[in-house]
Amino acid sequence: MTEPTLADLALEIRAKNAGPFWMTMEAFMADDAGYRAAEQLITADTVAALYHVDAEDLQIFRLPELRVVKVSVPRPLPQGSLRDRDMHAGQHHVPLASLRVPEGGQ
């Protein structure tokens, strides 16, 4: 059986603009076990590798009382610029949602 993804443990994982130069991904986890898995998986190094940014340039916010992990990263291009193909940053959650949860990580 394949390992579950972070999306399998979440109520919702989404991405949105956080101004014209930043985007934010949010993982709303269904329960405490899912939150613990998200907390362990969503690290600066993992996010930096997924989104091709420097770990020092991103911000991670952990909200255990809400079971939410938020990550803000610089947008690859300013919002609305000529080559911006996702004006609302709505598709950038997919790499985060696709993270595999190792066995015992739930």
Side-chain angles (χ1 to χ4, degrees), residues 2 24 45 51 63 72 101:
T2 62
T24 295
D45 290 337
Y51 292 95
L63 306 162
S72 293
V101 178

Side-chain angles (χ1 to χ4, degrees), residues 27-29 35 63-69:
F28 296 85
M29 305 313 293
Y35 175 78
L63 306 162
E65 61 280 354
L66 300 175
R67 297 186 194 126
V68 174
V69 178

Side-chain angles (χ1 to χ4, degrees), residues 6 9-10 29-40 67 105-106:
L6 196 58
L9 305 180
M29 305 313 293
D31 55 29
D32 290 336
Y35 175 78
R36 286 190 299 274
E39 189 175 39
Q40 291 175 4
R67 297 186 194 126
Q106 306 180 46

Side-chain angles (χ1 to χ4, degrees), residues 12-14 31 36 41-43 50 52 55 57 59 66 70-72 80-81 86 93-94 97 100 102-103:
E12 179 178 15
I13 298 180
R14 66 184 182 191
D31 55 29
R36 286 190 299 274
L41 281 174
I42 301 173
T43 65
L50 285 175
H52 309 287
D57 291 341
Q59 299 175 346
L66 300 175
K70 295 178 68 158
V71 179
S72 293
S81 64
D86 187 1
H93 68 284
V94 175
R100 295 276 176 201
E103 189 173 324

Side-chain angles (χ1 to χ4, degrees), residues 21-22 44 48 52-60 72-75:
F21 305 107
W22 286 82
H52 309 287
V53 298
D54 290 329
E56 305 83 41
D57 291 341
L58 59 88
Q59 299 175 346
I60 299 177
S72 293
V73 298
R75 285 179 58 96

